Amino acid sequence: MDKLEDMASVCEFDPITGDIPATKVEITVSLCVLYTQGVESKQWREFGRTEVIDNTLNPDFVRKYILDYFFEEKQNLRFDIYDIDSKSPDLAKHDFLGQTFCTLGEIVGSPGSRLEKPLGGIPGKNCGTIILTAEELGNCRDCATMQFCANKLDKKDFFGRSDPFMVFYRSNEDGTFTICHKTEVVKNTLNPVWQPFTIPVRALCNGDYDRSIKVEVYDWDRDGSHDFIGEFTTSYRELSRGQSQFNVFHLIFLPSPLSLSLSSTQIHFTVAIDFTASNGNPSQSTSLHYMNPYQMNAYAMALKAVGEIIQDYDSDKMFPALGFGAKLPPDGRVSHEFPLNGNVDNPYCNGMEGILEAYHESLKTVQLYGPTNFAPIINHVARYAAAVQDGSQYFVLLIITDGVISDMAQTKEAIVNIVLLAGGISSRGKLAERDIVQFVPFRDYMDRTGNHVLSMARLAKDVLAEIPDQLILYMKSRGIKPNQTPPDYSPPGLSPTPTV
């Protein structure tokens, strides 16, 4: 009787079929459940569950199933995949994503003991693929306790330091690797010290001390799109030497597309503020524009939180600041694209403090009116972005508004027509290439304890989180390779286009 380790190692959900779209759909937490079937009763019994994995359509499970393998018996197996919606252990309370049936013998007898099968169980839907691998366990009963630290890791976060964690893989006979351990995430550091952990040696290398072990280091991201920092290879024989000069490893990595892009691209940031009457009378405390002498209002907090981060990527710290939806003096005309500083020829403000000062002065002179039209602002700033498409400049527009968009059809049309924009928005038969519009509700970040520093930091991170990927995708879509020394450029009036 041999022992086999049967691993549901990867679940891949095909985003091409349209059943599970690549955009807009997110699996919060994935789980794989193994069932075995009784020889006589033919009833399915739950054998075990993997760990749950956040925010990915391609989970790679660490937890393994250890089964007794009998060559002479038909050992029926069933694998069910779930999207976990709560902490309840009751699977009926979670979303069923698909299942597959096989025998343990099928896995063992497949080339390399690796079986790939489609997931089914939902009529009319292609549910993706599951990959199952098996390996005979060695007799080694040893356990290893290890602890790792790192120094001067590559900074991957667009803002702040990294949140690194390690992933360990053991090599297989066919040259592939199987995940066997993940460390915890150490927050906000480039010099992490991970907690000690204990792992069976057979899980790490199946008792073969010279078998290759690959270790990857990632920067954790809440949405599951963890950034690769680097990797190294070792063996258990090397690791068993303990702390010494022989167990100091240099991470191998290629320069990240983000770091290359940021080093050669100037980011231009423009802000647009909603001055419509739906925000309430600025002289009353119920207004979003209320000027409290002791505390910033919601508009000022959002602007400061996002602006203080993005300004680090704009060398001259001069930012166009616009307003929309107000009546302007002296004739009371309604404008949907006026400079906060009152200077039509030069709407630039000096840093975040300059924008805040211009915003406060505008509240004293304009009359809140309406409607809430976005299209004029987007079209205005888009002209400047469209004039610079060589990758030397990238434009970001922050619109701060109380919510309802009055000219939704025109706004969609404006977005689709912008060269830099796209993704998932269709207007009059046009389909945008990429989605670089981000909506973040301010109310979701108001901290009931009054800790505005922490809540605004979370707001800024979520507002700006998509910019790195958007920048890289823009470069790739146009075949632009980052230059080490970008050309100087000063936009002739306004900077923009959009991540909102």
Side-chain angles (χ1 to χ4, degrees):
M1 176 167 47
D2 296 324
K3 289 278 189 178
L4 278 180
E5 186 172 13
D6 179 7
M7 298 164 287
S9 59
V10 181
C11 293
E12 298 175 347
F13 295 87
D14 186 0
I16 300 176
T17 63
D19 295 320
I20 303 182
T23 58
K24 305 303 182 188
V25 172
E26 177 182 275
I27 290 184
T28 307
V29 179
S30 299
L31 172 73
C32 180
V33 184
L34 168 63
Y35 295 86
T36 59
Q37 190 177 50
V39 177
E40 296 182 1
S41 67
K42 299 299 182 181
Q43 298 212 345
W44 292 104
R45 298 187 182 88
E46 181 178 329
F47 184 87
R49 303 182 182 188
T50 64
E51 77 281 10
V52 293
I53 297 183
D54 295 346
N55 295 324
T56 179
L57 297 178
N58 301 282
D60 196 353
F61 298 109
V62 174
R63 191 172 301 162
K64 311 301 188 293
Y65 305 121
I66 299 178
L67 301 169
D68 290 331
Y69 168 57
F70 302 96
F71 176 82
E72 68 279 10
E73 292 184 8
K74 184 178 181 181
Q75 297 172 261
N76 292 321
L77 307 176
R78 187 182 97 205
F79 296 89
D80 290 3
I81 308 297
Y82 287 89
D83 173 14
I84 303 302
D85 298 319
S86 68
K87 294 182 179 180
S88 172
D90 184 359
L91 294 175
K93 297 184 182 297
H94 308 293
D95 295 328
F96 174 71
L97 299 179
Q99 66 182 188
T100 195
F101 299 84
C102 67
T103 66
L104 186 51
E106 281 185 82
I107 304 174
V108 176
S110 298
S113 295
R114 181 182 185 274
L115 177 64
E116 183 172 338
K117 296 203 69 173
L119 292 166
I122 303 179
K125 285 195 175 183
N126 183 333
C127 300
T129 303
I130 185 169
I131 300 173
L132 307 164
T133 63
E135 182 176 1
E136 182 179 356
L137 290 181
N139 293 323
C140 178
R141 302 294 180 182
D142 295 342
C143 287
T145 299
M146 297 181 284
Q147 183 175 22
F148 290 82
C149 63
N151 293 314
K152 298 180 181 178
L153 292 178
D154 187 35
K155 183 175 180 287
K156 295 296 180 181
D157 271 352
F158 191 50
F159 329 105
R161 297 184 178 89
S162 297
D163 304 319
F165 68 96
M166 304 177 75
V167 184
F168 291 76
Y169 300 85
R170 73 160 181 237
S171 59
N172 302 317
E173 293 181 359
D174 62 357
T176 61
F177 287 87
T178 298
I179 188 171
C180 57
H181 181 73
K182 287 182 184 178
T183 68
E184 78 283 5
V185 176
V186 181
K187 291 295 189 71
N188 197 33
T189 180
L190 301 179
N191 303 288
V193 178
W194 288 282
Q195 293 294 321
F197 66 91
T198 299
I199 185 172
V201 172
R202 68 183 186 185
L204 196 61
C205 63
N206 206 15
D208 181 355
Y209 284 18
D210 296 309
R211 179 184 289 204
S212 180
I213 298 169
K214 183 173 69 171
V215 183
E216 295 178 342
V217 181
Y218 289 87
D219 171 26
W220 177 86
D221 287 319
R222 183 168 60 179
D223 65 358
S225 59
H226 312 306
D227 299 316
F228 178 71
I229 295 177
E231 68 177 40
F232 66 90
T233 57
T234 183
S235 67
Y236 181 67
R237 191 176 300 281
E238 288 183 344
L239 294 175
S240 63
R241 294 170 180 165
Q243 185 175 354
S244 69
Q245 62 181 5
F246 300 106
N247 279 332
V248 176
F249 305 97
H250 295 282
L251 292 178
I252 301 172
F253 62 93
L254 296 174
S256 71
L258 174 60
S259 61
L260 287 175
S261 296
L262 288 177
S263 68
S264 61
T265 302
Q266 183 69 214
I267 294 182
H268 293 283
F269 174 64
T270 297
V271 61
I273 295 178
D274 182 346
F275 282 83
T276 58
S278 58
N279 286 279
N281 189 332
S283 64
Q284 297 179 359
S285 61
T286 55
S287 172
L288 294 174
H289 285 301
Y290 177 60
M291 302 306 299
N292 188 327
Y294 305 105
Q295 179 179 317
M296 290 190 295
N297 63 29
Y299 276 84
M301 283 194 292
L303 176 60
K304 186 176 177 65
V306 176
E308 286 190 343
I309 293 174
I310 200 72
Q311 71 177 354
D312 289 343
Y313 301 91
D314 190 313
S315 58
D316 63 7
K317 305 294 187 291
M318 298 296 293
F319 307 105
L322 309 172
F324 60 93
K327 284 186 174 181
L328 306 185
D331 57 358
R333 65 183 178 86
V334 178
S335 174
H336 294 289
E337 46 178 295
F338 62 90
L340 294 187
N341 64 6
N343 189 338
V344 176
D345 296 324
N346 184 10
Y348 286 82
C349 298
N350 188 1
M352 288 305 103
E353 294 306 317
I355 295 179
L356 288 170
E357 181 180 353
Y359 162 60
H360 294 154
E361 289 301 314
S362 290
L363 282 175
K364 299 176 183 178
T365 59
V366 305
Q367 177 187 346
L368 273 61
Y369 200 67
T372 310
N373 291 346
F374 281 12
I377 285 279
I378 296 175
N379 286 327
H380 191 123
V381 299
R383 288 197 293 272
Y384 297 95
V388 187
Q389 298 186 50
D390 61 358
S392 63
Q393 318 292 325
Y394 193 77
F395 298 85
V396 177
L397 168 63
L398 172 69
I399 298 178
I400 308 178
T401 179
D402 68 343
V404 179
I405 302 175
S406 303
D407 63 339
M408 181 61 77
Q410 293 84 355
T411 296
K412 287 184 178 181
E413 184 72 14
I415 292 173
V416 172
N417 286 335
I418 293 175
V419 178
L420 302 181
L421 288 178
I425 299 175
S426 182
S427 179
R428 298 184 185 177
K430 300 177 183 178
L431 183 64
E433 299 171 352
R434 298 182 296 117
D435 180 7
I436 63 172
V437 180
Q438 172 80 346
F439 291 92
V440 177
F442 181 88
R443 62 181 177 274
D444 292 351
Y445 296 84
M446 294 305 296
D447 194 310
R448 295 178 181 177
T449 66
N451 187 347
H452 296 306
V453 174
L454 178 60
S455 58
M456 289 304 97
R458 289 174 49 239
L459 170 71
K461 185 171 183 179
D462 286 352
V463 167
L464 299 172
E466 292 188 2
I467 292 179
D469 285 342
Q470 292 166 0
L471 173 57
I472 293 170
L473 286 173
Y474 169 68
M475 295 293 195
K476 288 182 177 179
S477 68
R478 282 154 179 77
I480 299 172
K481 295 183 178 180
N483 298 316
Q484 294 304 315
T485 53
D488 294 331
Y489 172 75
S490 297
L494 212 54
S495 290
T497 90
T499 292
V500 180

